[in-house]
Amino acid sequence: MIFEKPLLRVVRVLYGDHPELPSVSVYFQGCDAFPKCAGCHNPETWEFSEDYSVDFENLKNHVISKLQMLLKTYEKVSLALLGGEPLSMRNRQYAYLLAKQVKETFGSKVVVIVYSWRTPKELLNMNIPLSYFDEFVLGRYNHKYHRSGFPASANQLYLTKEQLIQILQIISVRGTRYVETI
């Protein structure tokens, strides 16, 4: 399903959404997790509402401008896609398109990191290419597992694209073997 406009809460330039790099952080509006993550620090981003729809071209140009500004000071920066849920059905095409535009514009100077409550197994069933995403923070945030390190919840996975691909290949093979033995 294609939606006319992405839902967006805010775009910020800050430290902390990537473990090493300053970020342009895009907080998508709307979260499809149910139940919601215990201790979520962005409950204001849960609601899917067209009140938060923005023009994609304006969003893309704003993000690229912010990244250019950061790259005047730093050799490498990150684009952090958070929420809400950037990989919800409502937001995923725009998260992908934004990552694609940024990678085509800046290449390896910008690391694209995606935060999602989903697990690697759940990503297997999604209809979205992962090729323009470089790093992932996967799994539900749970306040009882909060820690001062990265990621913020000890039950979450911080993975590179290569690590995620390896995990997805293992899951696919195991799933096939399981199906074959039934």
Side-chain angles (χ1 to χ4, degrees), residues 2-173:
I2 297 177
F3 297 94
E4 265 186 52
K5 296 180 177 182
L7 297 180
L8 188 76
R9 186 69 177 200
V10 68
V11 175
R12 293 185 178 144
V13 176
L14 47 84
Y15 282 96
D17 287 336
H18 187 277
E20 299 169 356
L21 303 171
S23 298
V24 172
S25 299
V26 177
Y27 288 81
F28 285 89
Q29 182 69 30
C31 180
D32 57 354
F34 185 80
K36 303 298 185 210
C37 297
C40 174
H41 72 289
N42 290 325
E44 66 278 4
T45 64
W46 290 353
E47 178 187 0
F48 287 96
S49 170
E50 293 304 314
D51 292 343
Y52 294 97
S53 65
V54 297
D55 179 75
F56 179 75
E57 284 301 309
N58 289 341
L59 169 62
K60 177 190 76 166
N61 293 337
H62 184 67
V63 167
I64 286 175
S65 172
K66 296 280 188 191
L67 288 167
Q68 287 170 331
M69 179 192 69
L70 276 178
L71 286 167
K72 288 179 182 177
T73 305
Y74 302 95
E75 287 183 39
K76 197 170 198 172
V77 299
S78 81
L79 169 63
L81 304 176
L82 317 98
E85 174 55 43
L87 298 182
S88 70
M89 180 66 81
R90 180 64 178 79
N91 294 324
R92 70 179 63 150
Q93 72 186 14
Y94 292 107
Y96 170 78
L97 288 173
L98 185 59
K100 181 180 187 290
Q101 290 291 312
V102 164
K103 293 304 280 184
E104 288 175 354
T105 302
F106 299 106
S108 62
K109 290 182 180 181
V110 176
V111 173
V112 178
I113 185 169
V114 179
Y115 284 73
S116 178
W117 61 265
R118 291 168 164 80
T119 64
K121 186 175 181 178
E122 289 165 315
L123 292 181
L124 269 177
N125 301 321
M126 289 181 56
N127 186 21
I128 184 171
L130 303 175
S131 53
Y132 293 104
F133 304 133
D134 299 305
E135 298 175 358
F136 300 82
V137 175
L138 300 175
R140 292 174 171 274
Y141 173 81
N142 190 322
H143 188 68
K144 75 178 182 180
Y145 299 121
H146 181 78
R147 62 181 179 182
S148 60
F150 190 87
S153 183
N155 61 297
Q156 293 175 305
L157 298 173
Y158 170 55
L159 302 168
T160 64
K161 175 173 39 183
E162 295 76 21
Q163 291 169 320
L164 178 60
I165 289 170
Q166 287 178 338
I167 290 169
L168 295 176
Q169 288 170 340
I170 291 168
I171 293 170
S172 293
V173 169

